[in-house]
Amino acid sequence: MMLEALEISKEYKRGDRPFFAVDGVSLSIDKGEFICIVGRSGSGKTTLLNMLTGLLTPDSGKIAFDGVAYDRLGDDELSLLRNTRLGYIMQGRGVLRNFTVLQNTILPRALFKRAEDPEAKAISLLDRVGIRHLADQLPARLSGGELRRVSIARALLSTPDLLIADEPTGDLDEETAAEILSLFRSVAEEGTGVLMVTHDLDATSLADRTLVMQSGRLRERA
Amino acid sequence: MYGRPHFIFSDIAVCNLKRSPFRTAGLISIVALLAFMLFGGSLISCSLFNGADGLAKRLGADILIVPKGYDQKIEGILLRGEPSAFFMDAAWLGKIAHFEGVRAVSPQLLIASLNASCCSMPVQLIGFDQETDFIVEPWIKTALPGRLSDGEIIIGGAISGGAGSKLEFFDREYTVVAKMENTGSGFDASVFMTMESARTAAEDFIARGGNLTLPDNAISALSIMLNEDSSPIGTTKAMNEHFGYGNSGIVVVPAKEIVSNVSGNLRALVTIIVALAAILWLLSILILAIAFSVILNERKREFGILRSLGATRRKLASLVFLESGIVSLFGGIAGVFLSALLILPFRTYIRDTINMPYMQPSVIALIGLTAGSLILSFVAGPIASLISSAKIRKSDIIDVVRDGEL
Ligand SMILES: Nc1ncnc2c1ncn2[C@@H]1O[C@H](COP(=O)(O)OP(=O)(O)OP(=O)(O)O)[C@@H](O)[C@H]1O
Ligand SMILES: [Mg+2]
């Protein structure tokens, strides 16, 4: 198993009353697997993904990537893992307003330098998500769907082992959404694991498995 | 064709600064103001010290005697270069010479030239007696080969012209034989000549309708050097008692007092300037720290995104540090530059405004002041960013971005 979560929980307080946003969730994803998570708003999906990417520490339970537990990794190693092996497409607009589309796309390489020039790859990814012509634009000039696609291209830049996406097709039209989904499908076929939160029922038909999140608990869809 | 080929970590900082021009300009202005005050304050302090120092070195007299009512005028001549002319009877020379504790006495004749052809400013003509002089002579020895003849002059550092050139006072030509260094004191606007030349100048002035009465046998002031064991204050008192204070027609001025008064006032002033600079430095660090902290809050989303892409906390902290450093660099240079531009060319105006000997420091000292001001400004931003950096390194708040946070 590439990513494995065991009985992870996260407790938040609403007013004075504590509640579990994520409540004893276990989950594993393998290379090339395409998993969808569906669930109502507020059911804990984003909280779960934040823990799976190591940005948020669970109150209890264990998460391991390739057999290495997160709680044994320091900030540097966890960051490097996010930078090289995970691609996280966050909910909402994960684009920095001070950088052009192309700069946003190659941002991961500015954080950890690697030998090869990321630009050619970035351009071809922007092409694949259909916004190559916007490469030199600043985010302020882009539509919500275009911004979304910048995050998608960026998440794929390092050819991650695992792509984690939080409602990536939320503000896309049907046709573009279908293109993005088929991109994810082909990425999975090339060996990348895909874990996607979505409300799009068409998407779930492309997935190997679909899980349902409800009040912090995760279960297999019937 | 698609922007810069290599986009590296420091580009993130530069991009952030460039694309948030108002925020960046605001931060740079704070540092620039700091650098401006630091450099300006230290430059003015230094110049005041230099001025007082120059005057102290040049004024070899322990006591000055001038006609009654002219003690303010002699101060004006020494400190501010405000020319005057006044007279008393030369007989005082003999009376004073034998007074107890007096080692040497030398007379001077002071004539004011309000609009000399040479100069934009009024010039003080000082006739001195070469036989007895102990003030002027010591510091022109290096420049003057022999004795001064009638019609020859030595000019102060602020007067244009050099050895060999000619100056005209009241339609008579004088030959410059030596020029003194600038001191920042009133001596810079003075012209030194023999007693006879000074007398001739005064007669020329009167002949041209000048409003002046020159008594026969007149002198303007007496410079007195005391024996080692006589105190200026004590001797001043004794002279006043002996000659009858208030009705003798003269006033005895303990000259060193003028200088030490200046130094004392100056020390107080400089202490205030240094204290203000220190307060300003701390205050601007505080303001910057608050600004960075506010900015950090509004940048939570940006940092959250960078975190999700693999930025370590250390990297984010160094981003804030780097940005503050760049801001300080530009602010510091701009502030010092503006300050220099505003203060260096206007020394005469500043001197006239604060009415004290004022002498700008040498190039080397200026470089030192510049370096000091720049260093203090350069470190202000990074120091102020330490709190924000520490927050980034410690807390979880920036890790997770909630949608809608912008
Ligand atoms: N930092 C927090 N403090 C307190 N409560 C929180 C915090 N983060 C999330 N919650 C709560 O936890 C619950 C789960 O939030 P989460 O963002 O995971 O939901 P979600 O399933 O992603 O919803 P959506 O589909 O609307 O994005 C919500 O009720 C939310 O209000
Ligand atoms: Mg969510």
Side-chain angles (χ1 to χ4, degrees):
Chain A
M1 284 296 142
M2 184 167 52
L3 181 77
E4 199 154 21
L6 213 78
E7 290 289 317
I8 56 171
S9 300
K10 187 79 195 175
E11 197 183 50
Y12 283 130
K13 278 198 176 79
R14 186 172 290 134
D16 277 342
R17 268 193 27 233
F19 72 98
F20 283 99
V22 172
D23 188 0
V25 166
S26 295
L27 170 73
S28 58
I29 309 159
D30 220 341
K31 279 192 163 39
E33 211 179 352
F34 191 159
I35 299 179
C36 278
I37 296 178
V38 294
R40 296 186 56 181
S41 179
S43 57
K45 305 180 297 293
T46 299
T47 308
L48 175 65
L49 296 194
N50 282 337
M51 289 193 286
L52 293 178
T53 50
L55 290 169
L56 192 65
T57 315
D59 295 331
S60 63
K62 261 201 167 8
I63 307 169
F65 193 92
D66 267 349
V68 183
Y70 278 7
D71 55 16
R72 293 179 54 191
L73 295 176
D75 184 44
D76 286 4
E77 294 142 314
L78 211 48
S79 298
L80 187 64
L81 178 78
R82 269 198 293 275
N83 187 256
T84 53
R85 305 195 59 189
L86 294 177
Y88 186 19
I89 301 162
M90 290 194 294
Q91 192 169 20
R93 298 180 182 177
V95 172
L96 298 184
R97 65 185 172 88
N98 282 342
F99 305 97
T100 65
V101 164
L102 181 65
Q103 286 172 332
N104 260 290
T105 312
I106 61 179
L107 209 50
R109 293 304 173 86
L111 298 172
F112 280 94
K113 252 188 110 49
R114 259 157 287 168
E116 82 292 13
D117 183 1
E119 205 166 298
K121 174 126 194 235
I123 296 289
S124 88
L125 281 167
L126 288 175
D127 199 24
R128 251 179 115 175
V129 297
I131 53 167
R132 177 181 178 156
H133 59 291
L134 299 174
D136 283 334
Q137 299 298 314
L138 284 172
R141 303 256 176 94
L142 268 59
S143 74
E146 286 163 343
L147 290 173
R148 194 103 281 258
R149 285 181 274 168
V150 177
S151 312
I152 294 168
R154 184 178 59 199
L156 291 170
L157 183 74
S158 303
T159 329
D161 295 323
L162 177 60
L163 184 66
I164 296 179
D166 200 346
E167 291 187 40
T169 56
D171 37 20
L172 299 182
D173 61 280
E174 254 172 68
E175 208 173 322
T176 315
E179 277 168 30
I180 294 298
L181 287 176
S182 79
L183 172 62
F184 281 15
R185 186 68 251 179
S186 67
V187 163
E189 245 117 67
E190 285 157 25
T192 296
V194 179
L195 177 64
M196 178 167 82
V197 165
T198 186
H199 291 303
D200 182 353
L201 292 180
D202 287 348
T204 60
S205 65
L206 282 173
D208 300 323
R209 282 194 289 156
T210 300
L211 306 169
V212 180
M213 191 97 188
Q214 196 171 22
S215 305
R217 294 181 164 274
L218 195 64
R219 57 174 171 78
E220 210 75 37
R221 189 166 68 170
Chain B
M1 74 194 263
Y2 291 106
R4 288 189 45 198
H6 295 291
F7 186 58
I8 56 170
F9 184 68
S10 57
D11 292 336
I12 298 180
V14 174
C15 242
N16 274 333
L17 293 174
K18 269 205 237 166
R19 301 238 169 92
S20 302
F22 287 110
R23 184 171 83 193
T24 306
L27 293 173
I28 286 182
S29 310
I30 295 173
V31 181
L33 183 71
L34 170 69
F36 185 94
M37 304 297 270
L38 284 180
F39 183 75
S42 57
L43 178 56
I44 290 177
S45 306
C46 238
S47 303
L48 288 172
F49 260 125
N50 276 346
D53 200 44
L55 179 61
K57 276 195 196 129
R58 298 292 144 99
L59 191 63
D62 296 314
I63 290 177
L64 291 171
I65 291 183
V66 292
K68 186 166 154 26
Y70 287 97
D71 42 343
Q72 292 297 322
K73 293 277 185 196
I74 192 79
E75 244 179 69
I77 292 174
L78 294 175
L79 299 184
R80 302 183 280 277
E82 294 166 357
S84 308
F86 43 79
F87 306 107
M88 58 195 222
D89 195 335
W92 281 104
L93 180 59
K95 291 186 206 165
I96 296 293
H98 298 105
F99 202 84
E100 189 178 340
V102 173
R103 191 163 85 192
V105 188
S106 182
Q108 282 87 38
L109 191 61
L110 304 171
I111 312 290
S113 165
L114 294 179
N115 44 2
S117 59
C118 64
C119 318
S120 54
M121 66 219 160
V123 169
Q124 178 72 55
L125 307 185
I126 303 180
F128 69 103
D129 174 33
Q130 297 187 83
E131 302 302 326
T132 55
D133 174 68
F134 57 89
I135 299 184
V136 184
E137 204 110 23
W139 33 275
I140 52 172
K141 251 181 197 138
T142 45
L144 184 65
R147 285 173 63 89
L148 214 54
S149 315
D150 292 346
E152 290 181 337
I153 54 174
I154 298 161
I155 57 176
I159 295 175
S160 53
S165 61
K166 308 242 185 248
L167 290 186
E168 211 173 80
F169 299 108
F170 314 117
D171 297 332
R172 190 186 296 273
E173 234 179 29
Y174 297 81
T175 309
V176 178
V177 293
K179 181 167 180 164
M180 303 184 310
E181 274 173 26
N182 258 317
T183 61
S185 68
F187 291 128
D188 293 351
S190 298
V191 167
F192 297 89
M193 50 181 62
T194 61
M195 288 295 263
E196 290 67 33
S197 292
R199 180 163 277 280
T200 312
E203 282 160 359
D204 286 344
F205 177 57
I206 294 163
R208 270 151 200 77
N211 177 20
L212 189 73
T213 26
L214 178 68
D216 291 335
N217 249 342
I219 56 171
S220 303
L222 288 171
S223 304
I224 297 165
M225 193 185 349
L226 297 177
N227 288 325
E228 298 284 325
D229 50 357
S230 309
S231 86
I233 302 284
T235 311
T236 301
K237 230 171 133 189
M239 283 181 177
N240 277 331
E241 272 163 22
H242 185 263
F243 297 116
Y245 184 77
N247 45 32
S248 60
I250 57 162
V251 55
V252 185
V253 184
K256 284 266 153 76
E257 276 246 303
I258 298 178
V259 179
S260 65
N261 274 346
V262 170
S263 308
N265 290 343
L266 215 56
R267 206 157 297 127
L269 184 74
V270 168
T271 311
I272 292 171
I273 290 178
V274 169
L276 279 180
I279 290 171
L280 186 76
W281 192 64
L282 292 174
L283 203 66
S284 44
I285 288 181
L286 185 74
I287 292 172
L288 284 173
I290 293 171
F292 285 140
S293 192
V294 170
I295 290 169
L296 175 69
N297 236 23
E298 108 189 354
R299 292 178 74 178
K300 257 189 223 164
R301 180 175 179 78
E302 175 191 340
F303 289 141
I305 292 167
L306 287 171
R307 280 292 277 168
S308 80
L309 299 176
T312 61
R313 283 153 180 272
R314 198 148 14 99
K315 273 243 156 76
L316 292 185
S318 64
L319 185 66
V320 170
F321 198 73
L322 188 62
E323 288 181 18
S324 71
I326 295 173
V327 160
S328 296
L329 192 73
F330 281 97
I333 291 173
V336 168
F337 183 75
L338 277 179
S339 196
L341 208 66
L342 222 63
I343 293 176
L344 288 178
F346 298 109
R347 53 171 183 269
T348 332
Y349 177 77
I350 296 171
R351 192 197 141 138
D352 290 347
T353 309
I354 52 185
N355 252 332
M356 283 206 207
Y358 183 89
M359 165 91 168
Q360 264 166 13
S362 65
V363 176
I364 293 172
L366 267 181
I367 291 172
L369 287 184
T370 308
S373 313
L374 283 180
I375 289 170
L376 283 177
S377 317
F378 288 170
V379 298
I383 290 178
S385 77
L386 286 180
I387 300 172
S388 298
S389 303
K391 264 193 205 159
I392 292 173
R393 277 160 182 265
K394 288 210 182 82
S395 76
D396 277 331
I397 41 164
I398 49 153
D399 276 3
V400 177
V401 183
R402 306 203 54 77
D403 194 28
E405 253 176 19
L406 273 168

